[in-house]
């Protein structure tokens, strides 16, 4: 999406987007803009309303913001305009930035417009969104210079669209090898190191829990390790881990419901990959090491079995009660590999881990698990700031015994119809070597959603912006 700054609408023809804060329906003073006058009785800036006026060869779209508006709503509003009104746009669009807009509001608006160009029709011959054609230009009409914010907003949206595409593409396209190649390409383009362990290399490393999950699939597991390291050795060091199950059939404990959505079971991995791209793109002064175990949980003669006892990278043995609780197995190896080999100061993992978390929070918020109060506060702060929210659930010792196994060091599922998200998080905790700054985000509900932007469930892009904002504000 090309952008340029303009100081007035002199000679401009095309669509003009005009955000309007709510006044009062009884207001006698009309809303005036560019010679257009709208009586308050007709339009007064109520949130989620818009009003179209054609004048001077311009189609003005007045966009109601309500009295005040937070980041996510503003972004969604402009995403909606860009995606649902796309027939109205030609190659010239102007966006008026009110003087009262904060930098965050400018960012949300531009990011939303750019996100609105995302189309789910990856396998159709649809025309590209008008904002994406070469001749297109978005003119920013503002008294202030917003160049930096515009560049930043565009980068955020670009990373989010990449995340959405990875999640929305089906599992016969986004295989573990596809994810590995994607990471390598992005590493080259944005300047971070990428190393990938294939099945043989993972075996040599002892990533047995990870390999057990991928055993039943014809698609080779890939253990992706990424390192973004600007040249300064006094930087803070953050570790990220993302669940990369490219399809979750449940394994031999085959899923009886919702399997069709399980191409999205790599959304944690996609969020971490997207965060690496965005962090490197923004050249943040911080070291970030990310581990993304990718494999498929398939049904086959070679699949791992319920009751199998498997080894883990950390050394502990695991009794597999349920092969559908596979995410925690690959994350166990991902977490312990990251912590043992890179010793990051802070560790955050993201995973579409449990149906229990969806049942608790729906699509609105992720489950947050940490024993570190400062980490909790900072993650929640970032979540609120970018509209990717989360809420804490406990990691109390009282839950530890749920994972006691008679035959092995630990079991992967307590087999009870309650506390599913918490016991999954407790299982992960076992593999963090008592790290004092670890947080787990269960994004099962927020990563793949039902909303106004498609008829079927689709990727939300959750996570990449959140992790980036968190790391920027440490
Ligand atoms: N990938 C699923 C969790 C999930 C469910 C993600 C719904 C998105 C939407 C995970 O691997 C899983 O199957 N979890 C089981 C665990 C259970 C068998 C212990 C669950 O939560 O039901
Ligand atoms: Zn599963
Ligand atoms: Zn899963």
């Amino acid at each position: 999406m090309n952008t340029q700054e303009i100081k007035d609408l002199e000679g401009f023809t095309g669509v003009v987007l005009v955000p309007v804060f709510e006044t009062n329906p009884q207001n006698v003073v009309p809303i005036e803009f560019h010679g257009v006058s709208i009586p308050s009785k007709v339009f007064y800036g109520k949130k989620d309303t818009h009003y179209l006026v054609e004048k001077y060869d311009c189609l003005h779209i007045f966009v109601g913001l309500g009295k005040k508006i937070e980041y996510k709503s503003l972004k969604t509003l402009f995403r909606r305009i860009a995606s649902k009104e796309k027939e109205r746009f030609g190659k010239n669009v102007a966006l008026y930035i009110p003087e009262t807009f904060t930098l965050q509001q400018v960012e949300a608006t531009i990011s939303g417009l750019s996100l609105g160009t995302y189309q789910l029709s990856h396998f159709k011959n649809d025309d590209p969104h008008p904002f994406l054609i070469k001749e297109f230009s978005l003119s920013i009409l503002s008294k202030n210079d917003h160049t930096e914010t515009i560049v930043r907003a565009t980068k955020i949206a670009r990373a989010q669209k990449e995340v959405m595409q990875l999640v929305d593409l089906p599992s016969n396209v986004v295989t573990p090898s596809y994810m590995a190649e994607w990471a390598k390409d992005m590493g080259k383009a944005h300047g971070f190191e990428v190393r990938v362990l294939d099945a043989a290399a993972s075996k040599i490393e002892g990533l047995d829990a990870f390999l057990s999950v991928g055993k039943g699939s014809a698609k080779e597991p890939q253990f992706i390790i990424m390192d973004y390291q600007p040249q300064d050795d006094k930087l803070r060091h953050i570790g990220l881990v993302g669940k990369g199950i490219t399809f979750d059939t449940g394994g031999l404990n085959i899923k009886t419901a919702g399997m069709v959505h399980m191409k999205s079971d790599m959304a944690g991995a996609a969020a971490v990959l997207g965060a690496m791209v965005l962090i490197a793109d923004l050249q943040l002064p911080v070291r970030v090491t990310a581990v993304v175990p990718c494999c498929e949980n398939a049904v086959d003669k070679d699949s791992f079995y319920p009751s199998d006892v498997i080894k883990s990278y950390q050394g502990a043995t695991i009794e597999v009660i349920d092969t559908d609780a596979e995410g925690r197995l690959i994350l166990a190896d991902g977490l312990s590999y990251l912590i043992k080999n890179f010793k990051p100061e802070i560790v955050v993992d993201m995973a579409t881990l449990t149906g229990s978390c969806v049942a608790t929070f729906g699509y609105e918020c992720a489950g947050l698990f940490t024993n570190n109060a400062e980490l909790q506060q900072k993650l929640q702060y970032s979540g609120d700031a970018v509209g990717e929210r989360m809420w804490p659930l406990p990691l109390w010792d009282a839950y530890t015994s749920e994972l006691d196994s008679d035959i092995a060091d630990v079991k992967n599922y307590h087999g009870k119809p309650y506390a599913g998200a918490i016991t999954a998080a407790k299982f992960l905790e076992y593999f963090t070597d008592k790290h004092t700054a670890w947080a787990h985000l269960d994004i099962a509900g927020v990563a793949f959603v039902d909303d106004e932007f498609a008829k079927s469930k689709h990727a939300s892009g959750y996570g990449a912006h959140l992790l980036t904002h968190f790391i920027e504000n440490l």
Side-chain angles (χ1 to χ4, degrees):
M1 194 170 79
N2 306 314
T3 58
Q4 65 181 83
E5 307 216 11
I6 54 170
K7 288 290 163 223
D8 54 51
L9 286 171
E10 190 82 34
F12 180 88
T13 57
V15 177
V16 186
L17 301 172
V18 191
V20 180
F21 281 105
E22 183 173 328
T23 57
N24 186 327
Q26 264 80 48
N27 210 340
V28 283
V29 187
I31 289 167
E32 305 265 7
F33 183 88
H34 190 217
V36 177
S37 175
I38 315 172
S40 300
K41 276 197 196 115
V42 177
F43 173 83
Y44 62 98
K46 188 177 165 181
K47 193 163 162 195
D48 292 331
T49 62
H50 57 272
Y51 189 73
L52 276 65
V53 182
E54 210 205 347
K55 199 166 181 183
Y56 309 128
D57 283 335
C58 286
L59 177 66
H60 301 79
I61 306 184
F62 291 86
V63 184
L65 307 178
K67 287 210 160 52
K68 53 181 201 265
I69 188 160
E70 90 291 1
Y71 193 93
K72 171 92 173 283
S73 306
L74 186 56
K75 189 167 171 175
T76 306
L77 242 170
F78 280 90
R79 179 179 174 191
R80 185 181 302 141
I81 301 274
S83 82
K84 301 203 175 163
E85 303 286 348
K86 72 174 182 205
E87 297 73 28
R88 300 190 191 276
F89 298 115
K91 61 182 177 17
N92 293 320
V93 174
L95 168 70
Y96 168 68
I97 307 263
E99 268 174 78
T100 56
F101 258 23
T102 62
L103 292 185
Q104 283 70 29
Q105 286 175 322
V106 177
E107 182 187 290
T109 304
I110 308 277
S111 229
L113 283 174
S114 177
L115 211 57
T117 65
Y118 179 77
Q119 296 177 329
L120 254 186
S121 52
H122 299 294
F123 299 92
K124 296 191 192 192
N125 251 335
D126 284 2
D127 290 337
H129 189 284
F131 291 4
L132 298 179
I133 61 170
K134 226 175 63 232
E135 301 75 28
F136 176 80
S137 166
L138 177 68
S139 301
I140 310 288
L141 175 59
S142 170
K143 288 222 162 64
N144 305 309
D145 176 10
H146 288 299
T147 318
E148 230 174 273
T149 311
I150 293 163
V151 170
R152 182 184 158 83
T154 313
K155 287 180 176 176
I156 294 168
R158 201 193 310 152
Q160 273 175 332
K161 288 197 288 175
E162 292 284 3
V163 172
M164 285 154 75
Q165 176 160 347
L166 277 175
V167 176
D168 283 326
L169 286 175
S171 74
N172 59 338
V173 175
V174 179
T175 59
S177 303
Y178 182 100
M179 307 259 303
E181 287 309 311
W182 193 97
K184 285 183 198 162
D185 290 348
M186 289 298 183
K188 269 194 213 112
H190 296 283
F192 55 88
E193 253 176 64
V194 181
R195 227 179 100 219
V196 178
L197 308 180
D198 60 12
S202 299
K203 184 78 212 150
I204 292 166
E205 286 290 337
L207 296 161
D208 283 12
F210 166 62
L211 288 172
S212 299
V213 174
K215 251 157 49 92
S217 170
K219 293 159 190 150
E220 188 180 359
Q222 307 281 324
F223 193 86
I224 306 172
I225 304 150
M226 294 171 280
D227 211 349
Y228 166 70
Q229 199 171 2
Q231 267 158 2
D232 179 346
D233 48 10
K234 281 192 248 356
L235 297 176
R236 301 196 72 172
H237 185 191
I238 319 303
L240 303 175
V241 181
K243 170 177 172 182
I245 295 289
T246 55
F247 197 83
D248 183 10
T249 63
L252 292 175
N253 290 109
I254 194 163
K255 283 191 182 294
T256 51
M259 199 201 290
V260 69
H261 303 310
M262 285 302 132
K263 65 174 182 181
S264 68
D265 212 17
M266 35 56 74
V272 168
L273 289 168
M276 287 305 283
V277 167
L278 186 53
I279 289 161
D281 209 4
L282 295 171
Q283 300 189 308
L284 299 189
V286 59
R287 178 173 177 202
V288 186
T289 310
V291 167
V292 177
C294 295
C295 65
E296 196 179 61
N297 189 18
V299 180
D300 184 76
K301 67 179 190 333
D302 290 330
S303 297
F304 69 138
Y305 283 30
S307 85
D308 279 359
V309 175
I310 61 175
K311 284 203 215 108
S312 65
Y313 179 78
Q314 179 249 37
T317 51
I318 306 168
E319 180 184 10
V320 177
I321 301 294
D322 195 309
T323 61
D324 200 9
E326 84 299 336
R328 61 197 78 181
L329 298 173
I330 70 165
L331 288 172
D333 277 1
L335 284 164
S336 42
Y337 187 90
L338 172 78
I339 292 167
K340 180 168 177 220
N341 295 291
F342 295 96
K343 302 180 180 56
E345 175 195 342
I346 294 169
V347 178
V348 181
D349 77 74
M350 263 197 194
T352 46
L353 205 62
T354 66
S356 157
C357 195
V358 191
T360 307
F361 293 123
Y363 301 143
E364 205 35 58
C365 117
L368 168 64
F369 300 83
T370 181
N371 281 322
N372 183 310
E374 189 188 345
L375 204 53
Q376 173 176 327
Q377 187 267 325
K378 290 196 159 155
L379 280 164
Q380 280 195 287
Y381 169 77
S382 288
D384 291 344
V386 304
E388 298 182 10
R389 295 195 288 181
M390 66 194 75
W391 200 255
L393 287 171
L395 279 171
W396 296 321
D397 274 346
Y399 294 102
T400 309
S401 60
E402 295 288 1
L403 300 169
D404 288 347
S405 160
D406 288 316
I407 193 169
D409 292 321
V410 68
K411 62 184 175 195
N412 79 332
Y413 177 40
H414 64 342
K416 298 171 190 166
Y418 53 77
I422 298 174
T423 47
K426 287 302 282 181
F427 182 87
L428 298 185
E429 186 188 38
Y430 188 90
F431 295 89
T432 57
D433 197 20
K434 300 195 167 56
H435 198 292
T436 51
W438 160 69
H440 156 60
L441 279 160
D442 192 332
I443 61 165
V446 288
F448 203 62
V449 299
D450 233 337
D451 66 19
E452 61 181 291
F453 293 107
K455 293 188 192 73
S456 53
K457 282 184 90 175
H458 56 279
S460 66
Y462 187 101
H465 190 194
L466 166 69
L467 288 172
T468 306
H469 188 281
F470 163 72
I471 286 171
E472 260 183 321
N473 290 279
L474 273 175

